[in-house]
Amino acid sequence: MNPLTWIIGAFSMWIVVLGVNKLGLSIAVIIIAQVVAMIRVRNVSVLASTALLSVPALASMALIHMPYSSDGWLIALTLTARFSALMSIFLLAATAITIPELVKSLYRWPKLAYIVGSALQMIPQGKQTLALVRDANALRGRSVKGPVRAVKYVGLPLITHLLSAGAARAIPLEVAGLDRPGPRTVLVEVVEGRVEKHCRWLLPLLAVGMAWWL
């Protein structure tokens, strides 16, 4: 499916889960999302990530609600299940979306596509740059222990490199005509059927209606 369909579908499911706010629905959403995720990625990475996020949430909810209410355990379980359902939906959508496909699907709005692509690539680029900075310090035999050395020899080079890389992209973007008006085209568009294209925008309305009805 088109990445925008995954995003709007996930947003719509969030509306349903938050609007209905019932334990049974949250558990059903968790099960469905985990099954679909395991079919797609063929491993339990989404399940493991959801569990890793949900355990601290369950502990905090239990500490807050159980000592002060006879049905505090039920409240804690309901809130944790709702949180787990939301995380399952988010992680499922994340596994189905790639940055290049998402950027290509936004080609009609080139500035938005650039902002989204840059924001999503900031974390992996930052990790790669951080590894290079640490390797450079290790090759020079320089210690980076302590807050002052960490800021001076790791933080500042990292920020400088990221800023200079962003500035270096300005010329190719200008050559590509990012600021010029007019429609954009791509050589290979993201696959999208007519039914999917028209139904995608109905999902939020259906989600609001379902949350209101239930």
Side-chain angles (χ1 to χ4, degrees), residues 2 35 50 54 65 100 107 147:
N2 189 291
V35 170
T50 304
S54 300
H65 295 284
Y107 74 92

Side-chain angles (χ1 to χ4, degrees), residues 21-28 73-74 77-79 81-82:
N21 194 24
K22 292 183 179 180
L23 179 59
L25 177 64
S26 298
I27 294 176
W73 64 271
L74 181 59
L77 182 60
T78 301
L79 294 176
R82 185 179 67 183

Side-chain angles (χ1 to χ4, degrees), residues 15-16 203-214:
I15 294 176
V16 173
L203 291 176
L205 298 177
L206 293 175
V208 172
M210 184 179 298
W212 179 269
W213 182 64
L214 295 177

Side-chain angles (χ1 to χ4, degrees), residues 184-204:
R184 264 63 177 179
T185 58
V186 293
L187 294 177
V188 181
E189 296 188 8
V190 179
V191 178
E192 182 179 35
R194 290 186 177 180
V195 176
E196 177 186 350
K197 183 177 181 180
H198 290 90
C199 291
R200 178 171 63 226
W201 305 107
L202 295 177
L203 291 176

Side-chain angles (χ1 to χ4, degrees), residues 7-193:
I7 293 174
I8 295 176
F11 173 72
S12 301
M13 286 305 302
W14 272 45
I15 294 176
V16 173
V17 171
L18 292 173
V20 177
N21 194 24
K22 292 183 179 180
L23 179 59
L25 177 64
S26 298
I27 294 176
V29 170
I30 293 172
I31 295 174
I32 295 173
Q34 296 300 332
V35 170
V36 174
M38 283 189 284
I39 293 174
R40 285 191 56 83
V41 300
R42 298 182 180 180
N43 57 50
V44 295
S45 58
V46 175
L47 177 61
S49 300
T50 304
L52 187 63
L53 294 171
S54 300
V55 170
L58 177 60
S60 63
M61 296 300 176
L63 290 174
I64 293 173
H65 295 284
M66 289 184 66
Y68 306 104
S69 176
S70 59
D71 58 348
W73 64 271
L74 181 59
I75 297 175
L77 182 60
T78 301
L79 294 176
T80 304
R82 185 179 67 183
F83 173 80
S84 300
L86 297 177
M87 290 300 99
S88 297
I89 296 168
F90 171 77
L91 293 173
L92 172 61
T95 61
I97 295 174
T98 62
I99 296 177
E101 292 292 315
L102 178 59
V103 173
K104 283 172 61 178
S105 65
L106 297 172
Y107 74 92
R108 295 181 181 86
W109 309 280
K111 293 184 179 180
L112 176 61
Y114 171 72
I115 293 173
V116 171
S118 299
L120 294 177
Q121 291 177 347
M122 182 64 69
I123 294 178
Q125 289 176 354
K127 288 182 178 180
Q128 183 180 6
T129 303
L130 180 60
L132 293 175
V133 171
R134 287 176 173 175
D135 290 343
N137 285 311
L139 290 174
R140 296 192 62 175
R142 178 186 291 158
S143 174
V144 294
K145 294 182 179 180
V148 177
R149 286 180 171 269
V151 172
K152 182 178 180 180
Y153 297 121
V154 178
L156 291 179
L158 175 63
I159 295 173
T160 302
H161 184 276
L162 292 177
L163 290 177
S164 61
R169 288 193 292 266
I171 296 177
L173 290 173
E174 185 176 355
V175 172
L178 181 67
D179 292 330
R180 295 181 180 179
R184 264 63 177 179
T185 58
V186 293
L187 294 177
V188 181
E189 296 188 8
V190 179
V191 178
E192 182 179 35

